[in-house]
Amino acid sequence: MTVNSGIDDIQISGRWIQISFLIAAVLFNLCLIIQIFSVGLAYFYNSDWWNLHIWLVRGYGGLSLILLVWVF
């Protein structure tokens, strides 16, 4: 006899939502670190690194809004 089988499904799907949010947050932080590193290289070493910096800003800029909405 199974009791509360629906509750287990809700907990499993909620866990996947938490894991995917964690992955998205880690990806956002990695992009932020690479962006800061590239602007430092562009300023102190070679200005060609500025193109990578701009590409990163345009590429993952919307991810912060997605994470903000996802929190609520």
Side-chain angles (χ1 to χ4, degrees):
M1 182 168 135
T2 59
V3 179
N4 297 333
S5 63
I7 294 174
D8 294 335
D9 294 337
I10 293 171
Q11 289 176 349
I12 291 171
S13 66
R15 184 73 175 155
W16 281 107
I17 291 172
Q18 291 174 349
I19 290 170
S20 57
F21 182 81
L22 176 67
I23 291 170
V26 167
L27 178 68
F28 179 78
N29 284 315
L30 287 175
C31 287
L32 185 63
I33 290 169
I34 293 169
Q35 181 188 2
I36 292 171
F37 183 70
S38 68
V39 78
L41 284 173
Y43 187 75
F44 292 112
Y45 180 65
N46 188 356
S47 62
D48 292 337
W49 284 93
W50 187 254
N51 293 329
L52 176 67
H53 173 75
I54 296 299
W55 180 79
L56 282 170
V57 170
R58 292 178 182 161
Y60 83 98
L63 187 58
S64 62
L65 295 173
I66 292 170
L67 287 172
L68 180 65
V69 170
W70 201 343
V71 166
F72 296 112

